[in-house]
Amino acid sequence: MTNDIAHPLSAEDISEYERNGLLVREAGFLAEDELRELSAATPEILDSRGPEVVLERDGTTVRSVYGVHRTFAAVRDLSMHPRLVGAVGQILGGEIYVHQSKLNVKAAFSGDQWEWHQDYINWLRSDGIPRPSLVNVAIFLDAATEFNGPLMFIPGSQRLGLLPGKDRIGMPVNYEDAPSWVNTLTADEKFQVDRDAIRTLAEQGGLFSAKGAAGSVLFFHSNILHASLPNISPFDRKVLILVYNLVDNAPEHVDTPRPEFLAERSPVALVPRIGKT
Ligand code: 6CS
Ligand code: FE
């Protein structure tokens, strides 16, 4: 890390990200008061009722709330934080905007799995984004431990681009009557990666469990293979994920565009908010 808020990643940080496809910055990357603002907004986010809320397969537990940077000032402010905009700008090397945001709850006792997947294929096939130059920035709202379903990754798996796989046909079980765009947001992955490829890459790159204290910030590549187990612990594992994209990599035509709370269709370059440390 550096002390330059507009370029917070060191050369070593950037080469670690390029090698592994991920980078974890423990608590301290964002100031306590900013994290407090975000935590204060969380109950209201969890009270959301509408199409941006996706439930778990049990039909009652909230899995994710999408478009939170568009609806909640605390999230929008955070998405413009100079240290986040600076770090993502260093990784992507150009003007950026938020393509998608979500609060993934991974609720205590009933937070369901996320099968092994790559994120970018969703943004290519569903949103028409031409290149994988997107970065996920996950901000831990709860501590992620070995007990509450931490994100797990295969470091280096992003280097092969889109991996072989097949589409799950039809809507996932228990979502038969849901809107079509729910298809890629559930515990039953739509774009399934071949298990031989997953096994080979895991044997080569190993597995990494993204554990960390609340307030940790995790950057990960749009093509890195990742997953998470169900959470049967008594502790939530909430993460806010901001998906940044290059303005010059904006979505191209798709026959049925997804709602704006899932995919920004008219990107404007982000200007970092001044006045934050
Ligand atoms: O369809 C999407 O946009 C979401 N689906 C998955 C499985 N991960 C990335 C993204 O948030
Ligand atoms: Fe994902």
Side-chain angles (χ1 to χ4, degrees):
M1 278 242 306
T2 73
N3 293 324
D4 173 358
I5 195 167
H7 303 87
L9 302 185
S10 66
E12 295 73 29
D13 293 331
I14 293 170
S15 58
E16 179 181 336
Y17 177 87
E18 286 168 351
R19 185 172 59 254
N20 294 336
L22 65 95
L23 183 71
V24 186
R25 284 291 157 265
E26 294 295 334
F29 191 79
L30 298 172
E32 283 302 315
D33 64 323
E34 280 137 2
L35 294 166
R36 260 196 306 279
E37 278 169 33
L38 188 60
S39 296
T42 301
E44 191 188 356
I45 295 174
L46 294 175
D47 276 347
S48 302
R49 292 291 175 270
E52 69 279 14
V53 179
V54 176
L55 298 180
E56 298 289 11
R57 292 185 282 199
D58 64 11
T60 51
T61 307
V62 174
R63 179 175 174 88
S64 304
V65 182
Y66 286 88
V68 287
H69 73 293
R70 304 165 65 93
T71 320
F72 298 94
V75 181
R76 184 187 59 250
D77 290 351
L78 191 68
S79 72
M80 301 161 74
H81 192 294
R83 193 165 283 124
L84 293 185
V85 175
V88 172
Q90 286 180 276
I91 291 172
L92 293 180
E95 290 196 314
I96 60 175
Y97 73 97
V98 177
H99 167 63
Q100 179 182 96
S101 65
K102 61 216 170 203
L103 174 64
N104 282 346
V105 183
K106 188 68 82 169
F109 299 114
S110 50
D112 207 336
Q113 69 186 24
W114 287 85
E115 288 182 291
W116 285 106
H117 68 279
Q118 295 174 294
D119 287 341
Y120 173 58
I121 190 163
N122 295 282
W123 302 326
L124 170 65
R125 296 272 298 275
S126 306
D127 304 326
I129 292 188
R131 304 189 314 274
S133 52
L134 301 103
V135 177
N136 286 283
V137 178
I139 295 129
F140 291 13
L141 302 182
D142 296 307
T145 72
E146 61 270 40
F147 304 111
N148 62 350
L151 277 156
M152 56 183 170
F153 296 89
I154 300 179
S157 56
Q158 78 287 351
R159 291 200 290 261
L160 298 182
L162 285 183
L163 296 166
K166 65 180 186 322
D167 295 10
R168 185 235 312 122
I169 306 301
M171 292 299 285
V173 171
N174 287 6
Y175 298 87
E176 291 80 358
D177 304 330
S180 61
W181 39 262
V182 171
N183 213 346
T184 61
L185 307 177
T186 77
D188 183 353
E189 197 57 39
K190 164 77 175 169
F191 302 122
Q192 302 186 349
V193 178
D194 287 356
R195 290 183 169 180
D196 290 345
I198 298 169
R199 184 179 299 109
T200 303
L201 288 163
E203 286 163 352
Q204 290 167 352
L207 297 181
F208 172 78
S209 177
K211 293 182 276 191
S216 299
V217 180
L218 162 68
F219 300 85
F220 63 97
H221 194 285
S222 66
N223 266 332
I224 191 169
L225 264 176
H226 59 293
S228 60
L229 296 170
N231 178 13
I232 60 168
S233 87
F235 308 110
D236 288 352
R237 189 233 64 198
K238 296 187 293 293
V239 288
L240 168 69
I241 299 183
L242 301 168
V243 182
Y244 291 91
N245 186 24
L246 281 174
V247 171
D248 72 7
N249 187 40
E252 294 174 353
H253 172 77
V254 287
D255 294 341
T256 46
R258 298 200 290 179
E260 291 271 11
F261 58 78
L262 275 180
E264 176 60 60
R265 300 291 311 173
S266 349
V268 173
L270 262 182
V271 177
R273 233 159 49 91
I274 50 174
K276 303 308 284 180
T277 55

